[in-house]
Amino acid sequence: MSTADKDDLKNSEFAFPKERKEPLTDARHVRNAIARFDQVEGVSDAERDRAWQRILAAAKRYDIEVSESSWRDLAKGGKDRGAKGG
């Protein structure tokens, strides 16, 4: 997606609308948002909770199966949360 295309999207079309990160405009972008979820920096856990709900809604809309019930089930240790587990 080009920067111009991304600029034309409404905030509500992003997993992280305030940051305008991870557009949820089609199945490919929803899968990408899940894969890159823990790479988004500078957001609170509450913002991640809301983003995850937007991702799940978009996944349902595009008939994408999501095995994780929470973003916390994704790969642990995002850049701004530090490594967890072992």
Side-chain angles (χ1 to χ4, degrees):
M1 174 176 288
S2 74
T3 301
D5 290 338
K6 193 174 174 182
D7 288 345
D8 288 339
L9 295 176
K10 298 175 191 172
N11 286 351
S12 62
E13 296 180 275
F14 291 88
F16 295 90
K18 181 178 169 188
E19 295 77 14
R20 294 186 62 82
K21 298 224 183 225
E22 306 308 333
L24 303 172
T25 55
D26 56 33
R28 182 177 63 86
H29 281 98
V30 173
R31 287 185 191 97
N32 190 50
I34 294 168
R36 295 171 44 114
F37 192 87
D38 67 341
Q39 296 175 14
V40 176
E41 296 178 332
V43 295
S44 68
D45 283 357
E47 289 170 303
R48 288 184 188 282
D49 289 338
R50 291 187 294 273
W52 186 250
Q53 292 308 309
R54 285 189 281 278
I55 288 171
L56 292 179
K60 184 175 183 179
R61 184 169 50 251
Y62 296 113
D63 199 30
I64 298 169
E65 184 176 328
V66 179
S67 58
E68 298 84 5
S69 60
S70 168
W71 61 266
R72 290 172 176 88
D73 296 332
L74 298 171
K76 304 293 186 217
K79 291 180 182 177
D80 61 347
R81 289 193 308 275
K84 296 179 183 175

